[in-house]
Amino acid sequence: MTGFSVSLFVSNLSNVASYLSPIFENIPSTKVVPAQIDKVVSLVSRTGRDLQRYDNAGYRQVVGCVPYRYKKQEVNGIETQEIQVLLVSAQKGKGMLFPKGGWETDESMEEAALRETIEEAGVTGELEEKLGKWQYKSKRHSIIHDGYMFALLVSQEFERWPEAEMRQRRWVSLDEAREVCQNWWMREALEAFINLKCLADDDESGN
């Protein structure tokens, strides 16, 4: 191809690009944002125990949350706020409990607490105080666990979440949670939560 032919080809190509440019600008973007994306979680539950964390004594490390919210209600014409907590059904067996699971080696304790709560209960929010540490033995594997629990003020409740098909979730009052929570150590964590929040509410009302 001669120099003149190359020059003419480039010139024509430039003209074509100039002509097509406004057309491409008017083509809608192909990026699609699903409706109600804030109501859906695409996270898949972690499986296996390759990354499971154990302490020096061989105790499996487990972490979870007491998810809670303030529910407005009116009593005798007076508006009050009731604390409700979120329970999930046990994956195997009967009863209700708080979301919890294994703390893995590639995450902090706080990250594990948030992850497990999303996976099992489909909620997230502001992770607050650590409620304590409990030792318990697994009924299925006879393994001793160290269980850590946090308070979690829920800000988002997802319509779909990783374990939605195998668990039910239910908001309940503190009294009902005391009745239906099946694990003794989680009931103790609930009492620690109640003492913490009730004392805080009493202090605020006294000021």
Side-chain angles (χ1 to χ4, degrees), residues 112-180:
L114 289 171
R115 174 180 57 78
E116 288 291 344
T117 304
I118 290 176
E119 289 180 0
E120 294 192 357
V123 296
T124 191
E126 181 181 352
L127 197 66
E128 298 182 338
E129 302 91 341
K130 186 192 296 183
L131 300 173
K133 172 185 174 182
W134 290 265
Q135 282 191 351
Y136 67 97
K137 179 179 277 191
S138 169
K139 294 180 180 179
R140 286 185 294 159
H141 304 293
S142 297
I143 298 174
I144 297 177
H145 297 66
D146 286 335
Y148 302 86
M149 295 293 285
F150 290 84
L152 176 74
L153 179 57
V154 173
S155 60
Q156 284 185 289
E157 185 172 348
F158 303 104
E159 291 179 355
R160 289 163 42 197
W161 68 99
E163 298 187 14
E165 295 185 359
M166 63 184 74
R167 296 184 190 272
Q168 296 179 341
R169 62 184 179 188
R170 191 170 79 213
W171 287 102
V172 299
S173 67
L174 297 177
D175 287 338
E176 186 176 354
R178 284 170 164 150
E179 293 291 328
V180 301

Side-chain angles (χ1 to χ4, degrees), residues 6-183:
V6 172
S7 176
L8 181 60
F9 175 77
V10 172
S11 177
N12 289 337
L13 185 61
S14 177
N15 291 336
V16 172
S18 298
Y19 172 76
L20 292 177
S21 179
I23 297 176
F24 287 127
E25 289 178 357
N26 291 328
I27 296 177
S29 171
T30 57
K31 183 178 180 181
V32 177
V33 179
Q36 296 182 321
I37 191 66
D38 60 328
K39 300 283 187 176
V40 178
V41 175
S42 60
L43 180 68
V44 176
S45 293
R46 290 192 177 193
T47 57
R49 295 190 176 177
D50 293 340
L51 298 177
Q52 178 60 56
R53 190 186 296 262
Y54 296 86
D55 71 357
N56 293 333
Y59 298 165
R60 184 176 179 229
Q61 303 298 287
V62 169
V63 63
C65 288
V66 176
Y68 76 98
R69 69 181 181 184
Y70 291 99
K71 184 74 171 179
K72 290 183 179 180
Q73 59 180 3
E74 190 171 309
V75 179
N76 298 326
I78 301 175
E79 188 176 276
T80 61
Q81 290 192 114
E82 176 194 20
I83 294 180
Q84 294 183 331
V85 294
L86 186 65
L87 293 170
V88 297
S89 60
Q91 187 174 4
K92 295 182 179 179
K94 299 179 180 179
M96 303 291 287
L97 42 79
F98 292 112
K100 65 98 177 86
W103 173 19
E104 301 192 344
T105 56
D106 64 343
E107 59 189 349
S108 67
M109 183 184 293
E110 292 78 8
E111 288 170 340
L114 289 171
R115 174 180 57 78
E116 288 291 344
T117 304
I118 290 176
E119 289 180 0
E120 294 192 357
V123 296
T124 191
E126 181 181 352
L127 197 66
E128 298 182 338
E129 302 91 341
K130 186 192 296 183
L131 300 173
K133 172 185 174 182
W134 290 265
Q135 282 191 351
Y136 67 97
K137 179 179 277 191
S138 169
K139 294 180 180 179
R140 286 185 294 159
H141 304 293
S142 297
I143 298 174
I144 297 177
H145 297 66
D146 286 335
Y148 302 86
M149 295 293 285
F150 290 84
L152 176 74
L153 179 57
V154 173
S155 60
Q156 284 185 289
E157 185 172 348
F158 303 104
E159 291 179 355
R160 289 163 42 197
W161 68 99
E163 298 187 14
E165 295 185 359
M166 63 184 74
R167 296 184 190 272
Q168 296 179 341
R169 62 184 179 188
R170 191 170 79 213
W171 287 102
V172 299
S173 67
L174 297 177
D175 287 338
E176 186 176 354
R178 284 170 164 150
E179 293 291 328
V180 301
C181 183
Q182 69 174 9
N183 291 346

Side-chain angles (χ1 to χ4, degrees), residues 181-195:
C181 183
Q182 69 174 9
N183 291 346
W184 67 267
W185 69 277
M186 286 190 174
R187 290 195 298 271
E188 288 193 3
L190 175 62
E191 291 303 321
F193 168 83
I194 292 172
N195 291 336

